[in-house]
């Protein structure tokens, strides 16, 4: 009866007042209905409360060449860049024998020439090979231990730098003139090649007892050039001359100092056979010297 009286009283009032009266009657009911359920009305259902987290899959940022050419005795770098690696591991595999060379930043080979270049926080996992040898040529794989496994193959080609001496294999000069020999290594190395000269098995340099010797060496981006000058040529200056670069195969020529003979007369018979045998022996000696120099490194 009390509620009815209130309603009748409210109906006699203006509409705005009527709304407030109705709200006063209904509000307690709403408050009771929502008691303890306020959070469920204000928040979305549990499965929509958080967006699913997107995990990006690793991938190779393949911007470097797949074919790499290196020079014997010089370092080579095989590039591998992996984006979004997360907690995955990058490894390097030598394809010919499936040997694991590195995993993460650790090396798993007894050959200390192989190391990983990975600056902290970078995407780079590059394989470095110091003092490259012919046997290092082949395919190498950069792998990531995803499921299924990711791999990227790179081909390493190894070339042996070769020195050459300008002109013919036999050089003829008159006694008293100047012997001029130029040796060129046409592959750039870092550091640039140094060049040694030999007359037979004896080293030829500024301090040679013979005297009258000068050496001019030019090192450029395209290679190294060494020029040997011997003034006032003597008959004893005849023989095999070999230039031995520090990072290339040697080259040699045979120098003939003439005392009135005709050059054609020295190209046949015993002189020719002896010259060829001596040249072979000198090249063998020079090759041994180069091998010893590389081994000592």
């Amino acid at each position: 009866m009390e509620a009815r009286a209130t309603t009748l009283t409210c109906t006699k009032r203006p509409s705005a007042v009527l709304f407030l009266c109705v709200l006063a009657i209904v509000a307690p009911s709403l408050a009771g209905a929502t008691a303890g359920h306020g959070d469920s009305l204000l928040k979305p259902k549990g499965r929509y409360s958080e967006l699913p987290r997107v995990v990006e899959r690793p991938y190779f940022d393949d911007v470097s060449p797949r074919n790499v050419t290196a020079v014997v005795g010089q370092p080579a770098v095989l590039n591998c860049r992996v984006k979004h690696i997360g907690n995955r591991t990058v490894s390097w595999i030598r394809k010919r024998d499936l040997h694991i060379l590195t995993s993460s930043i650790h090396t798993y080979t007894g050959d200390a020439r192989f190391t990983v270049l990975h600056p902290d926080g970078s995407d780079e996992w590059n394989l470095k090979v110091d003092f490259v040898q012919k046997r290092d040529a082949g395919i190498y794989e950069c792998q990531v231990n995803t499921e299924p496994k990711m791999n990227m193959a790179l081909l390493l080609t190894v070339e042996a730098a070769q020195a050459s001496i300008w002109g013919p294999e036999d050089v003829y000069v008159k006694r008293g003139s100047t012997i001029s020999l130029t040796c060129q290594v046409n592959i750039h190395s870092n550091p640039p090649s140094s060049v040694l000269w030999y007359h037979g098995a004896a080293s030829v340099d500024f301090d040679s007892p013979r005297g009258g010797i000068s050496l001019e060496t030019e090192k450029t981006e395209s290679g190294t050039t060494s020029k040997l000058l011997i003034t006032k040529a003597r008959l004893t200056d005849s023989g095999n001359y070999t230039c031995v670069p520090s990072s290339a195969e040697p080259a040699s020529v045979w120098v003939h100092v003439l005392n009135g003979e005709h050059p054609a007369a020295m190209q046949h018979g015993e002189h020719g056979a002896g010259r060829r045998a001596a040249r072979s022996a000198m090249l063998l000696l020079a090759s041994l010297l180069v091998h010893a120099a590389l081994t000592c490194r």
Side-chain angles (χ1 to χ4, degrees), residues 206-250:
F206 300 105
D207 299 328
S208 297
R210 190 246 185 244
I213 296 173
S214 65
L215 289 168
E216 300 175 2
T217 302
E218 181 181 7
K219 300 178 180 180
T220 65
E221 290 297 324
S222 59
T224 300
T225 302
S226 178
K227 189 172 185 179
L228 171 66
L229 297 173
I230 303 175
T231 60
K232 299 179 180 179
R234 309 168 186 173
L235 297 179
T236 54
D237 292 327
S238 297
N240 186 85
Y241 286 81
T242 304
C243 74
V244 182
S246 58
S247 60
E249 295 295 324

Side-chain angles (χ1 to χ4, degrees), residues 165-168 170-174 177-183 197 212 214-216 226-233 241 253-255 257:
I165 297 178
W166 295 358
D170 291 272
V171 177
Y172 298 91
V173 297
K174 292 182 179 180
S177 62
T178 298
I179 300 172
S180 178
L181 303 175
T182 301
C183 177
W197 285 91
S214 65
L215 289 168
E216 300 175 2
S226 178
K227 189 172 185 179
L228 171 66
L229 297 173
I230 303 175
T231 60
K232 299 179 180 179
Y241 286 81
V253 296
W254 194 276
V255 173
V257 179

